[in-house]
Amino acid sequence: MRGVRSLNGINRRTLLSTLALLPSLSGTLVPAAAQTKEPGGLLPSWNEGPAKQAIVDFVRVTTEPSSPTYVAPDERIAVFDQDGTLWVEQPVYTQVAYCLERVPAVVAKDPELRNVEPFRTVLSGNREATANLPLRDLENILAATLTGMTVEEFQSEVSSWLETARHPRWNRPYTELTFQPMQEVLRYLQTNAFKTYIVTGGGQDFVRVYAEKTYGIPPEQVVGTAGTTKFGYGQDGKPLLTKEPKLLLNDDKAGKVEGIHLMIGRRPVAAFGNSVGDREMLEYTRGGQGTRLAMLVLHDDASREYAYGPATGLPESKIGTFSPALYDEARKQGWTVISMKNDWNRIFAFEA
């Protein structure tokens, strides 16, 4: 098929974990460390309770020099999953929406694809048919929308798309749908000399486009699923990198730990996630010596955001699955489960 290549090395689990378009704390308390200057006080979008207290206590016992559990600044590494932890991931991951909405542009450059599957199905607007596309067809969509261009071209395309794309429920830019309580945690940690990283199953190059402006996290502190690039020269003779359809790192589940070692080189002391894809990252973080913080966001607020699990009897979801087994492990290991419904008094910055 002209203009389309398959992705080498991606199996069904990898594809679905990337797209999913088919459908505590220990230590003695010491005087408070540096506080973040949030309007309304410390972590104002958090209700008083165990979850908020766990964050505040963790920062206290790791940043006060006289504390027996003090952590030196160069070891203050905090890692955050993105989809479902820092921003909305339903009804499909943002990158999925990008891939599907980029299909018309791909077809415009290669009109012969208009009558070729899977592009014909996507262009039809039939969501059910799109959700049922076979694996090979989905690989072709990935190859056509995420590879075959220079890194700079890809960054420009993603940036342009983010300026106009809107979430179907709130009709707002995706970058406005970050969770305000988590933004406050990011700032609180950064104020206290923690280096914050995004460790995501989403595309590394995709997230790097907006991470600094959206979260205050620079591109070099984004670890994600990554494909290979090839060095070469353009027609003008200038050096460039071209994105290729070959998987380099599947940054999901155990791959997140491997990515942390590869890209960061230090074991985190704090980790935040929301799904089974984050389990190994939290286990790895808590497996180190000294005081550690592990937290999971439970989406249990259908009225203000979404409710899905299936932990605690919530509806099942292929996207951001929070299984009963993960919930049980969190309770057993002393991880803090954040209830979106009970622990957050505000979810988005635009809320009154």
Side-chain angles (χ1 to χ4, degrees), residues 22-162:
L22 311 179
S24 107
L25 178 62
S26 62
T28 304
L29 295 183
V30 295
Q35 304 296 309
T36 184
K37 297 180 180 179
E38 288 285 350
L42 180 63
L43 304 179
S45 297
W46 291 75
N47 292 322
E48 297 299 328
K52 177 178 179 178
Q53 197 62 48
I55 298 168
V56 175
D57 289 349
F58 170 77
V59 172
R60 283 174 174 166
V61 302
T62 56
T63 60
E64 173 57 50
S66 62
S67 169
T69 54
Y70 174 75
V71 177
D74 59 359
E75 296 290 340
R76 295 179 196 169
I77 304 297
V79 293
F80 292 76
D81 167 60
Q82 183 196 221
D83 296 307
T85 301
L86 293 179
W87 73 354
V88 171
E89 63 183 350
Q90 296 281 356
V92 295
Y93 297 133
T94 302
Q95 189 171 347
V96 174
Y98 168 79
C99 290
L100 294 177
E101 292 185 24
R102 281 289 301 164
V103 167
V106 170
V107 172
K109 293 181 179 180
D110 191 352
E112 291 183 9
L113 296 177
R114 183 175 300 279
N115 296 315
V116 176
E117 292 294 357
F119 304 96
R120 180 169 59 186
T121 294
V122 176
L123 290 173
S124 73
N126 187 327
R127 294 185 179 182
E128 183 177 357
T130 299
N132 291 322
L133 287 171
L135 179 62
R136 185 173 297 277
D137 284 348
L138 295 176
E139 290 178 350
N140 286 335
I141 292 175
L142 279 169
T145 56
L146 299 178
T147 68
M149 72 285 287
T150 67
V151 170
E152 289 77 13
E153 288 170 342
F154 177 75
Q155 292 170 340
S156 178
E157 289 177 357
V158 173
S159 181
S160 296
W161 180 80
L162 287 170

Side-chain angles (χ1 to χ4, degrees), residues 5-19 95 139 142-143 146-147 200-204 224-229 243-252 255 258 262:
R5 295 173 290 174
S6 65
L7 289 169
N8 297 325
I10 294 187
N11 56 31
R12 175 172 290 275
R13 183 184 67 81
T14 300
L15 183 69
L16 294 183
S17 68
T18 303
L19 292 184
Q95 189 171 347
E139 290 178 350
L142 279 169
L146 299 178
T147 68
T200 175
Q204 180 169 277
T225 296
T228 61
T229 56
K243 291 174 62 63
E244 296 205 310
K246 184 177 180 180
L247 186 66
L248 179 64
L249 171 65
N250 176 24
D251 201 64
D252 186 45
E258 295 161 2
L262 178 68

